[in-house]
Amino acid sequence: LKKVNSFLKTHGIEEIQTKSYDVDLHEVISVINTGKDEIVDVVSKGYTLNGKPFRYPKIVLSKK
């Protein structure tokens, strides 16, 4: 896995962070009410190519 990530990074492909929600970077496929504003689950990872997103991560978001 480290070799694959290293190979992708040398070609300008990096994974989009999914620690905090960003309306411009994440595609919300479902919203649930849990009392906190956070990302509950990542359905599919997203990637950037040379700093520009080409696949947005699909997430499940919780709201207050």
Side-chain angles (χ1 to χ4, degrees), residues 12-14 16 25 47-54:
I13 299 172
E14 294 186 31
I16 295 176
L25 290 179
Y47 298 94
T48 61
L49 177 61
N50 297 324
K52 296 182 181 180
F54 71 90

Side-chain angles (χ1 to χ4, degrees), residues 18-23 26-43 58-64:
T18 54
K19 294 185 188 299
S20 61
Y21 175 65
D22 184 349
V23 69
H26 298 100
E27 181 179 343
V28 178
I29 60 169
S30 181
V31 177
I32 59 174
N33 294 325
T34 62
K36 295 181 180 179
D37 288 334
E38 64 184 0
I39 294 175
V40 176
D41 189 23
V42 179
V43 177
K58 295 178 181 171
I59 62 167
V60 176
L61 185 66
S62 79
K63 286 285 191 178
K64 287 184 182 179

